[in-house]
Amino acid sequence: ANSPRMMEIFKLVSKVAATDTTVLIIGESGTGKELVARSLHKNSLRKDNHFVTVDCLSLTSSLLESELFGHVKGSFTGATATKAGFFEVANGGTLFLDEIGDLNFDLQGKLLRVIQERKYIPVGGTEVKETDIRLVTATNKNLKKMVETGTFREDLFYRLYVFPVFLPPLRERKEDIPVLIDHFLHKHTERHRRPRCNISAEAMKCILAYGWPGNVRELENTVERALISADGPEIRLHDLPDGISSLHSEIMKPDNIEDLKRLKKRLRDKAVEDLEKEFIITALSAHEWNVSRAA
């Protein structure tokens, strides 16, 4: 990324990473919430311990309780052996609870107790266990509204809402799209052993005009598919999905062309600004920060 909004988010993440503060990452699906969570862990004092991801939406309430807290042998049908839960596995590291807004109301209460007391009891057990984890959660839902409607516990909300990080959707930071495309082209060129491709001007215009409801994840999938579909060294309009390539006729309207020109100018100005900054710092450093000699 190079957009101002994402630069601010990077600064926030770098500041909070070295702490043990509970972080709540808020953003639409596909905006990179898990990447932020992993970045928090990799730049923390817990980086040498486990990073455990739990998708609260993919498991039933009973199974999720067992996965989080563990269970003892015979505690329920099918529990043929004692199993450690994620709170035990992540001990000393980071526990990332994704889609926290879909957590069952009863489990919300049990999670609150663990956050408050740092203690829990496995399903079917009697032994109290302690846990030392850094908790990071994420959601694509409005937890404040869920609190108002009574579907999310207010006390848990304030336990999680210590350091919120808001990830903007891709449609609100389109100046990052060229940078992301370049990254994904490099990534999937190596992965699929394909020759390096460029994006044609027409294809790029359609990509920038598209709304990207699936955000960065959808963009990556689109780039990967286009790279595989391309016959030559350039990704063209027909290599893109119909929903994106069909925007070409709309883009060619005079008003939209002017919008694209303005976007292009902003991107160019930003690139020049970054180069100028780097050049000036290099010149100052070479002349021991003497402004006159650097000038």
Side-chain angles (χ1 to χ4, degrees):
N2 58 22
S3 62
R5 289 183 69 180
M6 290 306 294
M7 291 301 105
E8 287 301 316
I9 288 170
F10 292 161
K11 288 179 183 177
L12 285 174
V13 170
S14 66
K15 287 179 179 179
V16 75
T19 72
D20 264 350
T21 300
T22 299
V23 177
L24 173 63
I25 308 167
I26 304 166
E28 294 180 6
S29 178
T31 50
K33 296 189 290 295
E34 185 171 343
L35 288 177
V36 172
R38 289 184 180 277
S39 178
L40 286 167
H41 176 72
K42 288 179 181 178
N43 292 281
S44 74
L45 298 176
R46 298 172 178 266
K47 62 185 178 182
D48 295 327
N49 296 318
H50 289 299
F51 174 84
V52 179
T53 301
V54 184
D55 187 347
C56 299
L57 185 59
S58 64
L59 301 171
T60 63
S61 297
S62 57
L63 184 57
L64 180 58
E65 182 178 5
S66 172
E67 292 293 321
L68 286 174
F69 306 114
H71 62 255
V72 299
K73 180 179 179 181
S75 56
F76 55 86
T77 304
T80 56
T82 297
K83 180 182 177 182
F86 291 134
F87 276 107
E88 183 173 346
V89 175
N91 193 41
T94 302
L95 180 62
F96 174 50
L97 300 182
D98 199 7
E99 306 297 351
I100 191 70
D102 293 283
L103 193 66
N104 176 277
F105 202 82
D106 290 337
L107 274 179
Q108 290 177 26
K110 294 179 180 179
L111 175 62
L112 177 65
R113 284 195 293 274
V114 178
I115 296 173
Q116 290 174 334
E117 302 170 8
R118 298 290 169 175
K119 296 178 181 180
Y120 66 96
I121 299 175
V123 175
T126 56
E127 179 187 358
V128 177
K129 294 193 173 187
E130 295 186 359
T131 184
D132 172 29
I133 53 107
R134 200 264 180 89
L135 184 64
V136 179
T137 61
T139 183
N140 58 10
K141 296 187 175 181
N142 189 328
L143 295 186
K144 287 185 177 179
K145 285 189 176 180
M146 292 181 67
V147 169
E148 292 172 3
T149 57
T151 55
F152 199 86
R153 292 183 62 122
E154 184 177 18
D155 44 7
L156 177 59
F157 170 76
Y158 286 112
R159 283 286 182 176
L160 301 179
Y161 202 79
V162 179
F163 197 97
V165 175
F166 297 90
L167 292 183
L170 190 57
R171 62 183 174 274
E172 293 180 8
R173 55 182 187 102
K174 288 194 174 183
E175 59 266 51
D176 290 335
I177 289 178
V179 182
L180 288 165
I181 288 176
D182 188 65
H183 168 68
F184 293 140
L185 281 174
H186 179 74
K187 173 183 176 180
H188 292 293
T189 293
E190 292 186 348
R191 179 184 175 194
H192 297 297
R193 299 178 180 87
R194 300 278 294 182
R196 180 58 192 257
C197 279
N198 295 316
I199 304 280
S200 72
E202 286 186 332
M204 181 62 82
K205 287 176 183 177
C206 289
I207 288 172
L208 291 172
Y210 184 60
W212 299 107
N215 292 294
V216 180
R217 186 182 295 122
E218 184 185 6
L219 177 63
E220 179 173 7
N221 293 341
T222 299
V223 171
E224 182 179 6
R225 170 183 165 177
L227 180 66
I228 295 170
S229 300
D231 294 322
E234 190 173 60
I235 292 174
R236 298 181 179 276
L237 209 56
H238 62 263
D239 298 317
L240 300 175
D242 292 340
I244 300 175
S245 60
S246 62
L247 294 171
H248 185 255
S249 58
E250 181 69 21
I251 289 170
M252 296 315 293
K253 291 180 179 180
D255 289 345
N256 290 330
I257 291 175
E258 289 304 314
D259 288 341
L260 282 171
K261 286 181 179 178
R262 285 191 287 270
L263 175 60
K264 184 178 179 181
K265 184 179 183 302
R266 287 201 302 273
L267 291 171
R268 184 176 64 246
D269 290 346
K270 172 63 176 168
V272 172
E273 181 184 328
D274 290 342
L275 286 171
E276 286 179 344
K277 181 179 179 180
E278 182 179 353
F279 184 80
I280 290 168
I281 290 173
T282 302
L284 285 166
S285 179
H287 293 283
E288 298 180 342
W289 299 88
N290 184 298
V291 175
S292 299
R293 284 191 290 159

